[in-house]
Amino acid sequence: MRLTDLLHPHLDGVTTVVDATRGALSLQPYLHLPPGVALRGDGEQPLVEGELVLLSYGPDIELHGSEDTCRAVLARMRPGARGLIVLGHRVSELPYHRLLDHLVAHRCQVLRAAPLDYVQLHAGAVIARTDELLPPHDFFGRPVPADGHATALRLADEYVFADLASRSLRARVLDLERTVEEAERTRDAAGQDGRAERLAAAVREKEQLAAALRAARDRGDVLQARVAMLEGSTSLRVGKALVTAARSPKRGAARLPGELYGLWRGRRRAAGPVPENAPKDRAEPDAPVDGRFHLAHRALTVAPRDRLVVAGVLTPATAEDFAADVVVNRLLPHDGRLLVQRTDPDVLVVQLSACAGDGPWSLTGTGLAPDLDRTLAELLAEARVLGRKAVLWRDGPASAAPGLARLAWDAVVDADTGVRLGRLDPVAEGRERLREVFRADSTRVRLSRLARAAGGPDPLDERRVAVLAAPRDRTDVARLVGQVLGQLHRPVEVVVPDPAWLDELAAASVAVRRGEPLAPWVADWTDLAEDRPDTLLLDLMCAQEYSGADAVGHTPAADDYVFVPSLRPLLVRRSLHMSGTDPGSWAGQGHRLFAVRGKEPS
């Protein structure tokens, strides 16, 4: 929630907002006060009806101010005055008990409290100085009908239910903490086992190197024998005689016939008579160079690694879906270990469905294929030797391959592999279904969870959007901030000529700067008078991820989810935007343009 969403519903009858914060944090860029409401500094005078005072309280005294300052301001509030306390503590760590007694002592009632979506401000509360109980507000900020006894009963009942909910949440947190502790102990134990596996892998590698050395020595002996045989052959001796005669024709030419006759006589004596029915010699086939396996083709790139590289025991459908967002190398039983060594993946993934279904890894983990179980254990040991994570993707019942649970995994993902948006039918599924899959159930979201576990590049970075804008005055600034923070798919950066008065965006973790955009996608919002629904960027990114297009936008014919030769671009790939080419020529240059219909009227 924004600060304006919490503050503005309580400005009825307020003509002056008094800034009584004493910390370094300035709240003025967050307020966007409507016409008729003035902002002034605190003159330490009594606060009366028609005035609303701003207070700040948090763990950082220099930034948020002190608790004593808040108490002093509460003491100056008169009946009818209102206040807004912004809190720098996280909601789960809020020490509200330190302010509760002071609020009661100075006859201040909390009308509404809500979390705030800022980096340094995590919650806010609207208070009112009153001599009688005021009606509280519901979830939407609307006042409940006033009745003294009924209001007191509502507050008492709400307190009991809130305490019940908080106790269940606290119990859930304790359970999660115990689960985390058990996971830490299990991981430490797995680390001990991992050292033994690494030692065993090192011993196996030593044995392999020793075997390779012995094979090389044996081959050297064979080559030496072949060289000796060649040096004693008649062909080589004849060649030497000819070369000697050519070097000194006068003396060598006279002796050449005698040398050749001697070689012929010696060869005849060594060979002996040849029977007429003796079989003729056959040329021996060339021996193979070595017994190593060779990879026919695997993904390889010589560039900075900006995509997650996955080596996995995966089903063909899962590998195809994953390949749209990450580099995938499917492991087979005969080349898996070599492939892990050569590609150096970010993470090794073993999908339960690939072990329980049909395919080269079928029956792995069931106890019916011990050779495959041993091969998979060697793959995990090889991954640990390389310092890579091994993840079990349990997308089916564990009973289908119970042997997998006995292996040492760095992480276990208990979920399906998600849905690739390109496999959905936007007409049959509908816009809401696409949004739901995009935000929570898409393959890219699942891979983001895997990337966090592996410490690799996050596929969700490809969804980042930069907004280009040029606000001219405070009205444009307020409109820009409202449109950016109101988006369900929030931009990560806003590029403007002058970043003044955009502190609220920075506090909401939206980068504000000059220059060129850095995000993969760019949205041009130069015209701030245009109405932009909160689902605009969400629908545009859904369409892009579904189609893989280079630009997404609207057409005069209101085309929806089709490729078109021209459109009004609303979301453009950064490289295409930076090229500076005319949008009318994009289709002719081979860029893919995808049209979506705008928000339909409600």
Side-chain angles (χ1 to χ4, degrees):
M1 177 180 286
R2 298 177 58 199
L3 193 61
T4 55
D5 299 330
L6 178 62
L7 173 64
H8 285 202
H10 299 276
L11 290 180
D12 54 304
V14 175
T15 58
T16 305
V17 174
V18 181
D19 188 357
T21 57
R22 293 291 185 268
L25 183 64
S26 175
L27 297 180
Q28 184 176 358
Y30 300 74
L31 302 178
H32 306 292
L33 297 175
V37 180
L39 176 66
R40 68 172 177 84
D42 184 20
E44 298 189 358
Q45 300 174 354
L47 301 167
V48 298
E49 186 175 359
E51 294 180 336
L52 185 145
V53 62
L54 301 176
L55 302 95
S56 177
Y57 174 51
D60 189 346
I61 296 179
E62 295 183 357
L63 182 66
H64 303 103
S66 65
E67 181 181 345
D68 295 336
T69 302
C70 289
R71 289 201 300 264
V73 174
L74 293 176
R76 291 191 282 116
M77 295 182 65
R78 300 294 181 262
R82 299 178 187 175
L84 172 64
I85 306 177
V86 291
L87 304 166
H89 300 87
R90 297 188 180 277
V91 176
S92 59
E93 304 170 355
L94 182 62
Y96 62 89
H97 58 280
R98 300 179 64 90
L99 290 177
L100 189 59
D101 292 338
H102 302 293
L103 291 172
V104 175
H106 296 293
R107 300 295 188 269
C108 293
Q109 180 180 342
V110 179
L111 301 179
R112 191 184 182 194
L116 298 177
D117 190 16
Y118 301 119
V119 176
Q120 298 169 335
L121 298 176
H122 301 288
V126 178
I127 63 175
R129 170 66 169 84
T130 179
D131 291 329
E132 59 183 10
L133 196 61
L134 297 177
H137 290 68
D138 61 12
F139 177 80
F140 300 99
R142 297 171 300 200
V144 178
D147 184 353
H149 183 62
T151 301
L153 288 177
R154 177 187 174 87
L155 293 175
D157 296 345
E158 189 171 2
Y159 170 78
V160 173
F161 281 116
D163 183 65
L164 173 63
S166 65
R167 277 188 280 127
S168 64
L169 291 176
R170 287 196 295 269
R172 175 62 176 161
V173 169
L174 292 176
D175 292 339
L176 292 176
E177 289 178 349
R178 282 194 294 268
T179 303
V180 170
E181 292 176 358
E182 293 175 358
E184 291 288 342
R185 288 194 294 268
T186 304
R187 187 168 59 184
D188 293 341
Q192 297 291 339
D193 297 338
R195 281 192 287 270
E197 292 182 0
R198 288 194 293 271
L199 179 60
V203 172
R204 288 195 299 269
E205 186 176 5
K206 177 185 176 182
E207 294 175 353
Q208 291 175 357
L209 292 176
L213 180 59
R214 287 193 299 270
R217 287 175 177 174
D218 294 341
R219 186 160 181 78
D221 295 339
V222 172
L223 293 176
Q224 288 179 357
R226 289 185 178 181
V227 170
M229 181 181 65
L230 290 174
E231 288 178 347
S233 66
T234 303
S235 300
L236 182 62
R237 295 171 67 184
V238 170
K240 287 183 177 180
L242 293 175
V243 171
T244 302
R247 287 179 177 175
S248 56
K250 292 182 179 180
R251 299 176 57 186
R255 292 184 296 182
L256 180 60
E259 292 181 2
L260 294 178
Y261 179 74
L263 291 174
W264 176 76
R265 290 293 299 266
R267 183 172 181 270
R268 293 280 295 180
R269 285 194 298 268
V274 179
E276 294 181 359
N277 57 353
K280 296 183 179 180
D281 295 337
R282 294 183 179 180
E284 296 182 358
D286 295 336
V289 177
D290 53 34
R292 294 178 297 176
F293 288 106
H294 295 272
L295 302 179
H297 170 73
R298 285 296 186 267
L300 176 65
T301 178
V302 183
R305 182 172 290 187
D306 57 355
R307 300 183 75 192
L308 187 70
V309 178
V310 175
V313 177
L314 306 170
T315 63
T318 300
E320 181 183 356
D321 290 345
F322 282 8
D325 299 303
V326 301
V327 178
V328 178
N329 288 304
R330 287 189 67 198
L331 304 180
L332 300 176
H334 71 277
D335 70 352
R337 186 172 181 181
L338 182 61
L339 192 58
V340 170
Q341 293 173 349
R342 294 295 185 265
T343 59
D344 189 20
D346 293 311
V347 61
L348 171 65
V349 179
V350 177
Q351 184 184 5
L352 188 145
S353 296
C355 300
D358 298 332
W361 293 93
S362 180
L363 302 180
T364 304
T366 62
L368 301 177
D371 54 336
L372 292 179
D373 295 344
R374 183 169 55 255
T375 302
L376 182 59
E378 291 176 355
L379 283 180
L380 267 62
E382 188 65 37
R384 288 192 174 84
V385 170
L386 297 175
R388 301 306 184 188
K389 299 290 184 65
V391 177
L392 173 62
W393 200 300
R394 198 155 51 191
D395 59 340
S399 58
L404 297 179
R406 292 192 290 269
L407 299 175
W409 305 98
D410 296 300
V412 177
V413 177
D414 285 306
D416 56 42
T417 56
V419 181
R420 198 176 75 185
L421 261 67
R423 295 187 181 275
L424 299 178
D425 184 355
V427 177
E429 300 286 346
R431 195 69 65 89
E432 287 297 332
R433 172 60 178 163
L434 289 176
R435 294 169 183 169
E436 179 183 354
V437 172
F438 176 85
R439 301 180 70 179
D441 298 326
S442 69
T443 302
R444 188 172 289 185
V445 172
R446 299 288 194 272
L447 288 173
S448 175
R449 181 178 175 183
L450 178 65
R452 290 194 297 270
D458 191 347
L460 289 183
D461 289 344
E462 293 299 317
R463 293 180 174 179
R464 294 177 298 141
V465 179
V467 167
L468 307 183
R472 298 180 300 272
D473 50 29
R474 295 286 185 86
T475 303
D476 285 351
V477 167
R479 190 171 182 81
L480 173 62
V481 172
Q483 290 183 353
V484 169
L485 298 184
Q487 290 295 312
L488 297 179
H489 184 76
R490 183 174 292 182
V492 298
E493 64 178 8
V494 174
V495 181
V496 291
D498 183 7
W501 302 105
L502 293 175
D503 297 353
E504 186 178 2
L505 291 179
S509 300
V510 178
V512 180
R513 58 186 188 79
R514 301 183 179 93
E516 300 294 341
L518 300 179
W521 297 95
V522 178
D524 189 352
W525 287 10
T526 305
D527 184 9
L528 291 174
E530 181 179 349
D531 182 27
R532 295 180 175 89
D534 56 358
T535 58
L536 175 63
L537 292 182
L538 177 59
D539 289 338
L540 293 176
M541 283 305 305
C542 283
Q544 191 286 321
E545 195 164 317
Y546 168 84
S547 63
D550 300 304
V552 183
H554 298 334
T555 61
D559 297 306
D560 193 32
Y561 270 77
V562 292
F563 286 96
V564 293
S566 63
L567 49 69
R568 176 195 168 206
L570 299 179
L571 186 71
V572 183
R573 198 180 297 274
R574 177 182 179 274
S575 57
L576 181 56
H577 170 77
M578 297 294 293
S579 66
T581 56
D582 181 42
S585 64
W586 286 352
Q589 297 175 0
H591 299 292
R592 295 165 297 175
L593 311 181
F594 197 72
V596 293
R597 186 184 299 119
K599 183 178 180 182
E600 299 179 356
S602 58

